Amino acid sequence: MLREQRLQLILDYIEKKGYCTNEDLSKSLGIPFTTLRRDLTDLDSEHKLQRVHGGVKVIKEKSILEAELGEKLTENIEAKKLVAQKALLCIKPNESVFLDAGSSTYFLAQLIKPELNIRIYTNSITNAQVLASNGIRDINILPGHLKLSTGAICGVETISAINKFHFDVAFLGANAVDGEFNFYTTDNDEAEVKSTIIKNAQFAFILADKSKMNSKSFVRFSNKSEVALINEEV
């Protein structure tokens, strides 16, 4: 049996049971204990199941609602700073960069310095202000409607403006990431902005700390085939 088939067999069995012991899994699926332990470790690290003492249980995906930007800036700060540090390494000098609205991109904006000599486009007034305070000179704010709760600019004008450009690299926020690495946001207009940015960028990255994992929200805007995830571990 191929490894991928074996892992799916394990996930399907646990999904039906909700919880089962390692011994039950090994006997029921005919998987040697040493192989099973390795498979369970891999699936746990991918957040597809949760290992507990003597067994495993299914992870129930939670539904994420939108929080105010000010609230998000006070949550999981160290994790978001680490994500931002990793994202910074993906920017090369003289590139054109898109920076999405959101708390993770806010911490990335704090790290960007004039020495990179990059051109930045953003749909966040907050991030534009942070960049300006860092001495970044080439800052471009996209037009559109300002969503007060998240500080994101979105709408028809925003989409029209994005379609005029091609970005070397784009950094996007997400409200939720499910077990199959689909990416979600809470607002259809913001989802449209994010998906359009992805189409108009050579490389696109989702910045999402582990608190966003194994969850879903209102609108799916992308998946792992289109963008790369940056979190504390990746």
Side-chain angles (χ1 to χ4, degrees):
M1 184 185 302
L2 295 174
R3 177 178 179 274
E4 290 76 13
Q5 295 175 320
R6 190 174 66 247
L7 295 181
Q8 191 58 55
L9 192 65
I10 293 171
L11 289 173
D12 290 342
Y13 188 80
I14 296 171
E15 183 68 31
K16 292 178 183 178
K17 292 278 188 175
Y19 166 82
C20 57
T21 65
N22 295 337
E23 183 178 1
D24 179 22
L25 267 174
S26 181
K27 289 182 178 180
S28 298
L29 301 182
I31 301 174
F33 226 78
T34 54
T35 302
L36 179 65
R37 282 199 297 267
R38 184 169 61 250
D39 288 345
L40 294 180
T41 297
D42 291 343
L43 290 170
D44 180 74
S45 67
E46 294 172 8
H47 308 288
K48 293 182 177 180
L49 53 77
Q50 182 178 351
R51 299 192 73 177
V52 294
H53 182 68
V56 288
K57 67 179 183 179
V58 68
I59 294 178
K60 297 296 184 182
E61 292 182 329
K62 53 187 181 293
S63 181
I64 300 295
L65 302 177
E66 187 65 84
E68 297 284 334
L69 178 60
E71 178 183 341
K72 290 192 285 188
L73 290 175
T74 64
E75 297 175 340
N76 304 312
I77 294 175
E78 293 308 314
K80 290 174 181 178
K81 286 183 176 179
L82 180 56
V83 170
Q85 290 168 4
K86 292 184 176 184
L88 184 66
L89 299 176
C90 300
I91 302 176
K92 298 177 182 178
N94 307 311
E95 287 190 321
S96 59
V97 177
F98 176 80
L99 202 60
D100 194 13
S103 54
S104 293
T105 54
Y106 169 87
F107 288 108
L108 175 56
Q110 290 185 326
L111 300 178
I112 296 175
K113 302 302 179 184
E115 291 75 20
L116 281 170
N117 192 37
I118 59 177
R119 173 177 294 178
I120 298 186
Y121 288 79
T122 184
N123 63 332
S124 166
I125 294 174
T126 300
N127 287 347
Q129 291 173 326
V130 171
L131 292 164
S133 68
N134 287 352
I136 308 300
R137 301 186 65 84
D138 199 344
I139 305 169
N140 303 272
I141 303 176
L142 296 177
H145 172 73
L146 177 63
K147 185 180 176 185
L148 294 177
S149 60
T150 63
I153 298 170
C154 51
V156 175
E157 288 181 89
T158 316
I159 299 299
S160 178
I162 292 169
N163 281 321
K164 297 177 183 178
F165 304 116
H166 176 77
F167 307 100
D168 291 311
V169 61
F171 299 97
L172 305 164
N175 291 88
V177 184
D178 70 17
E180 299 301 318
F181 292 92
N182 294 299
F183 303 99
Y184 297 81
T185 186
T186 60
D187 180 273
N188 192 61
D189 286 339
E190 288 196 47
E192 189 68 24
V193 168
K194 294 174 191 291
S195 61
T196 306
I197 286 292
I198 292 167
K199 294 174 184 176
N200 287 275
Q202 183 174 3
F203 299 105
F205 297 92
I206 299 292
L207 308 186
D209 64 85
K210 286 175 61 179
S211 69
K212 307 288 182 64
M213 297 300 298
N214 296 300
S215 58
K216 292 183 178 180
S217 195
F218 184 56
V219 187
R220 183 177 69 86
F221 65 87
S222 189
N223 58 59
K224 64 182 179 181
S225 70
E226 299 175 320
V227 294
L229 172 66
I230 300 177
N231 63 22
E232 303 96 306
E233 297 179 345
V234 180

